[in-house]
Amino acid sequence: GFPRTRQQAEALLKCGNIACFVLLEVPDELLEARALHRRLDPETGRIYNAKTRPAPSEIVDRLTHREHDGNCSHFQKRISTFRK
């Protein structure tokens, strides 16, 4: 989501009249599982999730991982940055 960092939130506030932010509290394990199962259709740009929102069977073979979605250590770094 956006903003992910305090600096991004501050920059967003400078852009205009922001009435509120929504903070969704989700367990880290669930976020990691969603990232690990996320798939991208490079032809359409649509994002699917192998567990919760599977792609149609006729396009499964062309789906890819986004650059860091399959990397647990990268995910942990993102969570750590968010928590600062």
Coordinates of all heavy atoms in Angstrom, one line a residue:
G1 N 0.8 -1.2 0.0 CA 0.0 0.0 0.0 C 0.8 1.3 0.0 O 2.1 1.2 0.0
F2 N 0.2 2.3 0.0 CA 0.9 3.6 0.0 C 0.1 4.6 0.9 O -1.1 4.6 0.9 CB 0.9 4.2 -1.4 CG 1.6 5.6 -1.5 CD1 3.0 5.6 -1.6 CD2 0.9 6.7 -1.5 CE1 3.6 6.8 -1.7 CE2 1.5 8.0 -1.5 CZ 2.9 8.0 -1.7
P3 N 0.7 5.3 1.7 CA 2.2 5.4 1.9 C 2.7 4.3 2.8 O 2.0 3.8 3.6 CB 2.4 6.7 2.6 CG 1.1 7.0 3.3 CD 0.0 6.3 2.5
R4 N 4.0 3.9 2.5 CA 4.6 2.8 3.3 C 5.5 3.4 4.4 O 5.8 2.7 5.3 CB 5.5 1.9 2.4 CG 4.7 1.0 1.6 CD 5.6 -0.1 1.0 NE 4.8 -1.0 0.2 CZ 5.0 -1.2 -1.1 NH1 6.1 -0.7 -1.7 NH2 4.3 -2.0 -1.8
T5 N 6.0 4.6 4.2 CA 6.9 5.2 5.2 C 6.4 6.6 5.6 O 5.5 7.2 5.0 CB 8.3 5.4 4.5 OG1 8.2 6.4 3.5 CG2 8.9 4.1 4.0
R6 N 7.0 7.0 6.7 CA 6.6 8.4 7.3 C 6.9 9.4 6.2 O 6.1 10.4 6.0 CB 7.4 8.6 8.5 CG 7.1 10.0 9.1 CD 7.9 10.3 10.4 NE 7.6 9.3 11.4 CZ 6.7 9.4 12.3 NH1 5.9 10.4 12.4 NH2 6.5 8.4 13.2
Q7 N 8.1 9.3 5.5 CA 8.4 10.3 4.5 C 7.4 10.3 3.4 O 7.1 11.4 2.9 CB 9.8 10.0 3.9 CG 11.0 10.2 4.9 CD 11.2 9.0 5.9 OE1 10.5 7.9 5.7 NE2 12.0 9.1 6.9
Q8 N 6.9 9.2 3.0 CA 5.9 9.1 1.9 C 4.6 9.8 2.4 O 4.0 10.5 1.7 CB 5.6 7.7 1.5 CG 6.7 7.1 0.7 CD 6.5 5.6 0.4 OE1 5.6 5.0 0.9 NE2 7.2 5.1 -0.6
A9 N 4.2 9.5 3.6 CA 3.0 10.1 4.2 C 3.1 11.7 4.3 O 2.2 12.4 3.9 CB 2.7 9.6 5.6
E10 N 4.3 12.1 4.7 CA 4.5 13.6 4.8 C 4.5 14.2 3.4 O 3.9 15.3 3.2 CB 5.8 13.9 5.5 CG 5.8 13.6 7.0 CD 7.1 13.6 7.7 OE1 8.1 13.7 7.0 OE2 7.1 13.4 8.9
A11 N 5.1 13.6 2.4 CA 5.1 14.1 1.0 C 3.6 14.1 0.5 O 3.2 15.0 -0.2 CB 6.0 13.2 0.1
L12 N 2.9 13.1 0.8 CA 1.5 13.0 0.3 C 0.6 14.1 0.9 O -0.2 14.7 0.2 CB 0.9 11.6 0.7 CG -0.5 11.3 0.2 CD1 -0.6 11.4 -1.3 CD2 -1.0 10.0 0.7
L13 N 0.9 14.4 2.2 CA 0.1 15.5 2.8 C 0.4 16.9 2.2 O -0.4 17.7 2.1 CB 0.5 15.6 4.3 CG -0.1 14.5 5.2 CD1 0.5 14.6 6.6 CD2 -1.6 14.7 5.2
K14 N 1.6 17.0 1.6 CA 2.0 18.3 1.0 C 1.3 18.4 -0.4 O 1.3 19.5 -0.9 CB 3.5 18.4 0.8 CG 4.3 18.5 2.1 CD 5.8 18.6 1.9 CE 6.5 18.6 3.2 NZ 8.0 18.5 3.0
C15 N 0.8 17.3 -0.9 CA 0.2 17.3 -2.3 C -1.2 17.9 -2.3 O -1.7 18.2 -3.4 CB 0.2 15.9 -2.9 SG 1.9 15.3 -3.3
G16 N -1.8 17.9 -1.2 CA -3.2 18.4 -1.3 C -3.9 18.2 0.0 O -3.3 17.9 1.1
N17 N -5.2 18.3 0.0 CA -6.1 18.2 1.1 C -6.4 16.7 1.4 O -7.4 16.2 0.8 CB -7.4 19.0 0.9 CG -8.2 19.1 2.1 OD1 -7.8 18.7 3.2 ND2 -9.5 19.5 1.9
I18 N -5.7 16.1 2.3 CA -5.9 14.7 2.7 C -6.8 14.7 4.0 O -6.3 15.3 5.0 CB -4.6 14.0 2.9 CG1 -3.7 14.1 1.7 CG2 -4.9 12.5 3.3 CD1 -4.2 13.5 0.4
A19 N -7.9 14.1 3.9 CA -8.8 14.2 5.1 C -8.5 13.1 6.1 O -8.6 13.3 7.3 CB -10.3 14.0 4.6
C20 N -8.0 11.9 5.6 CA -7.7 10.9 6.6 C -6.8 9.8 5.9 O -6.7 9.8 4.7 CB -8.9 10.3 7.2 SG -9.9 9.4 6.0
F21 N -6.2 8.9 6.7 CA -5.6 7.8 6.2 C -6.3 6.6 6.8 O -6.8 6.6 7.9 CB -4.1 7.7 6.7 CG -3.2 8.7 5.9 CD1 -2.9 9.9 6.5 CD2 -2.7 8.4 4.7 CE1 -2.1 10.9 5.9 CE2 -1.9 9.3 4.1 CZ -1.6 10.6 4.6
V22 N -6.2 5.4 6.1 CA -6.7 4.2 6.7 C -5.6 3.3 7.0 O -4.7 3.0 6.1 CB -7.7 3.5 5.7 CG1 -8.2 2.2 6.2 CG2 -8.9 4.5 5.4
L23 N -5.5 2.8 8.2 CA -4.5 1.8 8.6 C -5.1 0.5 8.7 O -6.0 0.3 9.6 CB -3.8 2.3 9.9 CG -2.8 1.3 10.5 CD1 -1.6 1.1 9.5 CD2 -2.4 1.7 11.8
L24 N -4.7 -0.5 7.9 CA -5.2 -1.9 8.1 C -4.2 -2.7 8.9 O -3.0 -2.7 8.5 CB -5.4 -2.5 6.7 CG -6.4 -1.8 5.8 CD1 -6.4 -2.4 4.4 CD2 -7.8 -1.7 6.4
E25 N -4.6 -3.2 10.0 CA -3.7 -4.1 10.8 C -3.9 -5.5 10.4 O -5.0 -6.1 10.6 CB -4.0 -3.8 12.2 CG -3.9 -2.4 12.6 CD -3.1 -2.2 13.9 OE1 -2.5 -3.2 14.4 OE2 -3.0 -1.0 14.3
V26 N -2.9 -6.1 9.8 CA -2.9 -7.5 9.3 C -1.7 -8.2 9.8 O -0.6 -7.6 9.8 CB -2.9 -7.5 7.7 CG1 -3.0 -8.9 7.2 CG2 -4.1 -6.6 7.2
P27 N -1.8 -9.4 10.3 CA -0.7 -10.1 10.8 C 0.4 -10.3 9.7 O 0.1 -10.5 8.5 CB -1.2 -11.5 11.2 CG -2.7 -11.3 11.4 CD -3.1 -10.2 10.5
D28 N 1.7 -10.1 10.1 CA 2.8 -10.2 9.1 C 2.7 -11.6 8.4 O 3.0 -11.6 7.2 CB 4.1 -10.1 9.9 CG 4.3 -8.7 10.4 OD1 3.5 -7.8 10.2 OD2 5.3 -8.5 11.2
E29 N 2.4 -12.6 9.0 CA 2.3 -14.0 8.4 C 1.3 -14.0 7.2 O 1.6 -14.6 6.2 CB 2.0 -15.1 9.4 CG 3.0 -15.2 10.6 CD 2.7 -14.2 11.7 OE1 1.6 -13.6 11.8 OE2 3.7 -13.9 12.4
L30 N 0.2 -13.3 7.4 CA -0.8 -13.3 6.4 C -0.3 -12.4 5.2 O -0.4 -12.8 4.0 CB -2.1 -12.7 6.9 CG -3.2 -12.6 5.9 CD1 -3.6 -14.0 5.3 CD2 -4.5 -12.1 6.5
L31 N 0.4 -11.3 5.5 CA 0.9 -10.5 4.4 C 2.0 -11.2 3.6 O 2.0 -11.1 2.4 CB 1.5 -9.2 5.0 CG 0.5 -8.2 5.7 CD1 1.3 -7.1 6.4 CD2 -0.4 -7.7 4.7
E32 N 2.8 -11.9 4.3 CA 3.9 -12.7 3.7 C 3.3 -13.8 2.8 O 3.7 -14.0 1.6 CB 4.8 -13.3 4.7 CG 6.0 -14.0 4.1 CD 7.0 -14.5 5.1 OE1 6.8 -14.4 6.3 OE2 8.1 -15.0 4.7
A33 N 2.3 -14.5 3.3 CA 1.6 -15.5 2.5 C 1.0 -14.9 1.2 O 1.1 -15.5 0.1 CB 0.6 -16.3 3.3
R34 N 0.3 -13.8 1.4 CA -0.3 -13.1 0.2 C 0.8 -12.8 -0.8 O 0.6 -13.0 -2.0 CB -1.0 -11.9 0.6 CG -2.3 -12.3 1.3 CD -3.1 -11.0 1.7 NE -3.3 -10.2 0.5 CZ -4.5 -9.9 0.0 NH1 -5.6 -10.2 0.7 NH2 -4.7 -9.2 -1.0
A35 N 1.9 -12.3 -0.4 CA 3.0 -11.9 -1.3 C 3.6 -13.2 -2.0 O 3.8 -13.1 -3.2 CB 4.1 -11.1 -0.6
L36 N 3.8 -14.2 -1.2 CA 4.4 -15.4 -1.8 C 3.5 -16.1 -2.9 O 4.0 -16.7 -3.8 CB 4.7 -16.4 -0.7 CG 5.8 -16.0 0.2 CD1 5.9 -17.0 1.4 CD2 7.1 -16.0 -0.5
H37 N 2.2 -15.9 -2.7 CA 1.2 -16.5 -3.7 C 0.7 -15.6 -4.8 O 0.0 -16.0 -5.6 CB 0.0 -17.1 -2.9 CG 0.4 -18.2 -2.0 ND1 0.8 -19.4 -2.4 CD2 0.4 -18.2 -0.6 CE1 1.1 -20.2 -1.3 NE2 0.8 -19.5 -0.2
R38 N 1.2 -14.3 -4.7 CA 0.8 -13.4 -5.7 C 1.4 -13.7 -7.1 O 2.6 -14.1 -7.2 CB 1.2 -12.0 -5.3 CG 0.7 -10.9 -6.1 CD 0.9 -9.5 -5.5 NE 2.0 -9.4 -4.6 CZ 1.9 -8.7 -3.4 NH1 0.7 -8.2 -3.0 NH2 2.9 -8.7 -2.6
R39 N 0.6 -13.5 -8.1 CA 1.1 -13.8 -9.5 C 0.7 -12.6 -10.4 O -0.4 -12.1 -10.2 CB 0.6 -15.1 -10.1 CG 0.9 -16.3 -9.3 CD 2.4 -16.7 -9.3 NE 2.7 -17.9 -8.7 CZ 3.0 -18.0 -7.4 NH1 3.0 -17.0 -6.6 NH2 3.3 -19.2 -6.9
L40 N 1.5 -12.3 -11.4 CA 1.2 -11.2 -12.3 C 1.0 -11.8 -13.7 O 1.8 -12.6 -14.2 CB 2.4 -10.3 -12.3 CG 2.4 -9.2 -13.4 CD1 1.3 -8.2 -13.2 CD2 3.7 -8.5 -13.4
D41 N 0.0 -11.3 -14.4 CA -0.2 -11.6 -15.8 C 0.5 -10.5 -16.6 O 0.1 -9.4 -16.7 CB -1.7 -11.7 -16.2 CG -1.9 -12.0 -17.6 OD1 -1.0 -12.0 -18.4 OD2 -3.1 -12.2 -18.0
P42 N 1.7 -10.8 -17.2 CA 2.4 -9.8 -17.9 C 1.7 -9.2 -19.2 O 2.0 -8.1 -19.6 CB 3.7 -10.5 -18.3 CG 3.4 -12.0 -18.3 CD 2.3 -12.1 -17.3
E43 N 0.7 -9.9 -19.7 CA 0.0 -9.4 -20.8 C -1.1 -8.4 -20.5 O -1.3 -7.5 -21.2 CB -0.7 -10.6 -21.6 CG 0.3 -11.5 -22.3 CD -0.4 -12.5 -23.2 OE1 -1.6 -12.4 -23.5 OE2 0.3 -13.5 -23.5
T44 N -1.7 -8.6 -19.3 CA -2.8 -7.6 -18.9 C -2.4 -6.8 -17.8 O -3.1 -5.8 -17.5 CB -4.1 -8.4 -18.6 OG1 -3.8 -9.2 -17.4 CG2 -4.5 -9.3 -19.7
G45 N -1.4 -7.1 -17.0 CA -1.0 -6.4 -15.8 C -1.9 -6.8 -14.6 O -1.7 -6.2 -13.5
R46 N -2.8 -7.7 -14.8 CA -3.7 -8.1 -13.7 C -2.9 -8.9 -12.7 O -2.0 -9.7 -13.0 CB -4.9 -8.9 -14.2 CG -5.8 -8.0 -15.0 CD -7.1 -8.7 -15.3 NE -7.9 -8.7 -14.0 CZ -9.1 -9.1 -13.9 NH1 -9.8 -9.6 -14.9 NH2 -9.8 -9.1 -12.7
I47 N -3.3 -8.8 -11.4 CA -2.7 -9.5 -10.3 C -3.6 -10.6 -9.8 O -4.8 -10.3 -9.5 CB -2.2 -8.6 -9.2 CG1 -1.1 -7.7 -9.8 CG2 -1.7 -9.3 -8.0 CD1 -0.5 -6.7 -8.9
Y48 N -3.1 -11.8 -9.6 CA -3.9 -12.9 -9.1 C -3.2 -13.4 -7.8 O -2.0 -13.1 -7.5 CB -4.0 -14.0 -10.1 CG -4.8 -13.6 -11.3 CD1 -4.1 -13.1 -12.4 CD2 -6.1 -13.7 -11.4 CE1 -4.7 -12.7 -13.6 CE2 -6.8 -13.3 -12.5 CZ -6.1 -12.8 -13.6 OH -6.8 -12.4 -14.7
N49 N -3.9 -14.2 -7.1 CA -3.3 -14.9 -5.9 C -3.6 -16.4 -6.0 O -4.8 -16.7 -6.1 CB -3.8 -14.3 -4.6 CG -3.1 -14.9 -3.4 OD1 -3.3 -16.1 -3.1 ND2 -2.3 -14.1 -2.7
A50 N -2.6 -17.2 -6.0 CA -2.8 -18.6 -6.3 C -3.7 -19.3 -5.2 O -4.3 -20.3 -5.5 CB -1.4 -19.3 -6.3
K51 N -3.8 -18.7 -4.1 CA -4.6 -19.3 -3.0 C -6.0 -18.6 -2.9 O -7.0 -19.3 -2.8 CB -4.0 -19.2 -1.7 CG -2.7 -19.9 -1.6 CD -2.9 -21.4 -1.5 CE -1.6 -22.2 -1.4 NZ -1.8 -23.6 -1.4
T52 N -6.1 -17.3 -3.0 CA -7.3 -16.6 -2.7 C -8.0 -16.0 -3.9 O -9.2 -15.8 -3.9 CB -7.0 -15.4 -1.8 OG1 -6.1 -14.5 -2.4 CG2 -6.5 -15.9 -0.4
R53 N -7.3 -15.8 -5.0 CA -7.9 -15.3 -6.3 C -7.2 -15.9 -7.5 O -6.4 -15.2 -8.1 CB -7.8 -13.8 -6.3 CG -8.6 -13.1 -7.4 CD -8.6 -11.6 -7.3 NE -9.2 -11.1 -8.5 CZ -8.6 -10.2 -9.3 NH1 -7.4 -9.9 -9.1 NH2 -9.2 -9.8 -10.4
P54 N -7.4 -17.2 -7.7 CA -6.7 -17.9 -8.8 C -7.0 -17.3 -10.2 O -8.1 -16.8 -10.4 CB -7.1 -19.3 -8.7 CG -7.9 -19.4 -7.5 CD -8.3 -18.1 -7.0
A55 N -6.0 -17.4 -11.0 CA -6.2 -16.9 -12.4 C -7.0 -18.0 -13.2 O -7.0 -19.2 -12.8 CB -4.9 -16.7 -13.1
P56 N -7.6 -17.6 -14.3 CA -8.3 -18.7 -15.1 C -7.2 -19.7 -15.6 O -6.1 -19.3 -15.9 CB -8.8 -17.8 -16.3 CG -8.9 -16.4 -15.8 CD -7.8 -16.3 -14.8
S57 N -7.6 -20.9 -15.7 CA -6.7 -22.0 -16.0 C -6.0 -21.8 -17.4 O -4.8 -22.2 -17.5 CB -7.4 -23.3 -16.0 OG -8.5 -23.3 -17.0
E58 N -6.6 -21.1 -18.3 CA -6.0 -20.9 -19.6 C -4.8 -19.9 -19.6 O -4.1 -19.8 -20.6 CB -7.0 -20.5 -20.7 CG -7.7 -19.2 -20.4 CD -9.0 -19.3 -19.6 OE1 -9.3 -20.4 -19.0 OE2 -9.8 -18.3 -19.5
I59 N -4.6 -19.1 -18.5 CA -3.5 -18.2 -18.5 C -2.5 -18.5 -17.5 O -1.4 -17.8 -17.4 CB -4.0 -16.7 -18.3 CG1 -4.6 -16.5 -16.9 CG2 -5.0 -16.3 -19.4 CD1 -4.7 -15.1 -16.6
V60 N -2.7 -19.6 -16.7 CA -1.8 -19.9 -15.6 C -0.3 -20.0 -16.0 O 0.6 -19.6 -15.4 CB -2.2 -21.1 -14.8 CG1 -1.2 -21.7 -13.9 CG2 -3.5 -20.9 -14.1
D61 N -0.1 -20.6 -17.2 CA 1.3 -20.8 -17.7 C 2.1 -19.6 -17.9 O 3.3 -19.6 -17.9 CB 1.3 -21.7 -18.9 CG 0.9 -23.1 -18.6 OD1 0.9 -23.6 -17.5 OD2 0.5 -23.8 -19.6
R62 N 1.4 -18.4 -18.2 CA 2.1 -17.2 -18.5 C 2.3 -16.3 -17.3 O 3.0 -15.3 -17.3 CB 1.4 -16.4 -19.6 CG 0.1 -15.8 -19.2 CD -0.4 -15.0 -20.4 NE -1.6 -14.3 -20.0 CZ -2.7 -14.3 -20.7 NH1 -2.8 -15.0 -21.9 NH2 -3.8 -13.6 -20.4
L63 N 1.8 -16.7 -16.1 CA 1.9 -15.9 -14.9 C 3.3 -15.9 -14.4 O 4.0 -16.9 -14.5 CB 0.9 -16.4 -13.8 CG -0.6 -16.3 -14.2 CD1 -1.4 -16.8 -13.0 CD2 -1.0 -15.0 -14.6
T64 N 3.7 -14.8 -13.8 CA 5.0 -14.6 -13.2 C 4.9 -14.1 -11.8 O 3.8 -13.6 -11.4 CB 5.9 -13.6 -14.0 OG1 5.3 -12.3 -14.0 CG2 6.0 -14.1 -15.5
H65 N 6.0 -14.2 -11.1 CA 6.1 -13.5 -9.8 C 6.5 -12.0 -10.0 O 7.3 -11.8 -10.9 CB 7.2 -14.1 -8.9 CG 6.8 -15.3 -8.1 ND1 6.1 -15.2 -7.0 CD2 7.1 -16.6 -8.3 CE1 5.9 -16.4 -6.5 NE2 6.5 -17.3 -7.3
R66 N 6.1 -11.1 -9.2 CA 6.6 -9.8 -9.3 C 8.1 -9.9 -8.7 O 8.4 -10.8 -8.0 CB 5.8 -8.8 -8.5 CG 4.4 -8.6 -9.2 CD 3.6 -7.4 -8.7 NE 3.6 -7.3 -7.2 CZ 2.9 -6.4 -6.6 NH1 2.2 -5.5 -7.2 NH2 2.9 -6.4 -5.3
E67 N 8.9 -8.9 -9.0 CA 10.3 -9.0 -8.7 C 10.7 -9.6 -7.3 O 11.5 -10.5 -7.2 CB 11.0 -7.6 -8.9 CG 12.5 -7.7 -8.7 CD 13.1 -6.3 -8.9 OE1 12.4 -5.4 -9.3 OE2 14.3 -6.2 -8.7
H68 N 10.1 -9.1 -6.3 CA 10.5 -9.5 -4.9 C 9.5 -10.4 -4.2 O 9.7 -10.7 -3.0 CB 10.9 -8.3 -4.1 CG 12.0 -7.5 -4.6 ND1 13.3 -8.0 -4.7 CD2 12.0 -6.3 -5.2 CE1 14.1 -7.1 -5.2 NE2 13.3 -6.1 -5.5
D69 N 8.4 -10.7 -4.8 CA 7.3 -11.4 -4.1 C 7.7 -12.8 -3.6 O 7.1 -13.2 -2.6 CB 6.0 -11.6 -5.0 CG 5.2 -10.3 -5.0 OD1 5.5 -9.4 -4.3 OD2 4.3 -10.2 -5.9
G70 N 8.6 -13.5 -4.2 CA 9.0 -14.8 -3.8 C 10.1 -14.8 -2.8 O 10.6 -15.9 -2.4
N71 N 10.6 -13.6 -2.4 CA 11.8 -13.5 -1.6 C 11.4 -13.1 -0.1 O 11.0 -12.0 0.1 CB 12.7 -12.4 -2.2 CG 14.0 -12.3 -1.5 OD1 14.1 -12.4 -0.3 ND2 15.0 -12.0 -2.2
C72 N 11.5 -14.1 0.8 CA 11.0 -13.9 2.2 C 11.9 -12.8 2.8 O 11.4 -12.0 3.6 CB 11.1 -15.2 2.9 SG 9.8 -16.4 2.4
S73 N 13.2 -12.8 2.6 CA 14.0 -11.8 3.3 C 13.7 -10.4 2.8 O 13.7 -9.4 3.6 CB 15.5 -12.1 3.1 OG 15.9 -12.0 1.7
H74 N 13.4 -10.2 1.5 CA 13.0 -8.9 1.0 C 11.7 -8.5 1.7 O 11.5 -7.3 2.0 CB 12.8 -8.9 -0.5 CG 12.4 -7.6 -1.0 ND1 13.3 -6.6 -1.2 CD2 11.3 -7.1 -1.4 CE1 12.7 -5.5 -1.7 NE2 11.5 -5.8 -1.8
F75 N 10.7 -9.4 1.8 CA 9.5 -9.1 2.5 C 9.7 -8.7 3.9 O 9.1 -7.7 4.4 CB 8.6 -10.4 2.5 CG 7.3 -10.1 3.3 CD1 6.3 -9.4 2.7 CD2 7.2 -10.5 4.6 CE1 5.1 -9.2 3.4 CE2 6.1 -10.3 5.3 CZ 5.0 -9.6 4.7
Q76 N 10.6 -9.3 4.7 CA 10.9 -9.0 6.0 C 11.5 -7.6 6.1 O 11.2 -6.8 7.0 CB 11.8 -10.0 6.7 CG 11.2 -11.3 6.9 CD 9.9 -11.2 7.8 OE1 9.9 -10.5 8.8 NE2 8.9 -12.1 7.5
K77 N 12.3 -7.2 5.1 CA 12.9 -5.9 5.1 C 11.8 -4.8 4.8 O 11.8 -3.8 5.5 CB 13.9 -5.8 3.9 CG 14.6 -4.5 3.8 CD 15.6 -4.5 2.7 CE 16.3 -3.1 2.6 NZ 17.2 -3.0 1.5
R78 N 10.8 -5.1 4.0 CA 9.7 -4.2 3.7 C 8.9 -4.0 5.0 O 8.5 -2.9 5.3 CB 8.8 -4.7 2.6 CG 9.4 -4.6 1.2 CD 8.6 -5.2 0.1 NE 7.3 -4.6 0.0 CZ 6.3 -5.0 -0.8 NH1 6.5 -6.1 -1.5 NH2 5.2 -4.4 -0.8
I79 N 8.6 -5.1 5.7 CA 7.8 -5.0 7.0 C 8.6 -4.1 8.0 O 8.1 -3.3 8.7 CB 7.5 -6.4 7.5 CG1 6.5 -7.1 6.6 CG2 7.0 -6.3 9.0 CD1 5.1 -6.4 6.6
S80 N 9.9 -4.4 8.1 CA 10.7 -3.6 9.0 C 10.7 -2.1 8.7 O 10.6 -1.3 9.6 CB 12.2 -4.1 9.0 OG 13.0 -3.4 9.8
T81 N 10.8 -1.8 7.4 CA 10.8 -0.4 7.0 C 9.4 0.2 7.3 O 9.3 1.4 7.8 CB 11.0 -0.3 5.5 OG1 12.3 -0.8 5.2 CG2 10.9 1.2 5.0
F82 N 8.3 -0.5 7.1 CA 7.0 0.0 7.4 C 6.9 0.3 8.9 O 6.3 1.3 9.3 CB 6.0 -1.0 7.0 CG 4.6 -0.7 7.4 CD1 3.9 0.3 6.7 CD2 4.0 -1.3 8.5 CE1 2.6 0.7 7.1 CE2 2.7 -0.9 8.9 CZ 2.0 0.0 8.2
R83 N 7.4 -0.6 9.8 CA 7.3 -0.4 11.2 C 8.0 0.8 11.8 O 7.8 1.2 12.9 CB 7.7 -1.7 11.9 CG 7.0 -2.9 11.5 CD 6.0 -3.4 12.5 NE 5.3 -4.6 12.1 CZ 4.1 -4.6 11.6 NH1 3.4 -3.5 11.5 NH2 3.5 -5.7 11.3
K84 N 9.0 1.3 11.1 CA 9.8 2.5 11.6 C 9.0 3.7 11.6 O 8.2 4.0 10.9 CB 11.0 2.7 10.7 CG 12.0 1.6 10.8 CD 13.2 1.9 10.0 CE 14.2 0.7 10.1 NZ 15.4 0.9 9.3

